[in-house]
Amino acid sequence: AYCVAEIAKRSDVFIGVAPDNPRALPAEELTAYAKPYCIDTAAMEHYEAAYHRAVGKAGNSGMVLICGSLYMAG
């Protein structure tokens, strides 16, 4: 929760996605940790859709930071 809060404080948008792993924190729960620190939050089921949404929100001058699962980032 601490890491999520630190990232969310520095973000304009936070999109939470859970990998397909039984040990993963559900996207809704992950996003709930970010909500007090970031106004624009969303929990999404599919990481490809989340990636496209993040890139769209970032535009040409923004940045997309992917944390957690390197499998999803690949």
Side-chain angles (χ1 to χ4, degrees):
Y2 173 78
C3 293
V4 171
E6 290 302 312
I7 292 166
K9 286 179 194 177
R10 295 163 173 80
S11 303
D12 294 326
V13 178
F14 184 95
I15 301 171
V17 182
D20 187 17
N21 184 316
R23 295 181 7 206
L25 192 66
E28 295 81 12
E29 192 174 336
L30 178 67
T31 304
Y33 286 118
K35 208 170 206 45
Y37 306 101
C38 183
I39 293 172
D40 190 352
T41 63
M44 297 188 70
E45 185 176 339
H46 301 288
Y47 60 88
E48 289 175 359
Y51 171 78
H52 289 293
R53 182 174 180 167
V55 169
K57 292 263 188 179
N60 291 331
S61 61
M63 178 180 76
V64 174
L65 172 67
I66 300 173
C67 299
S69 174
L70 295 178
Y71 167 77
M72 283 187 359

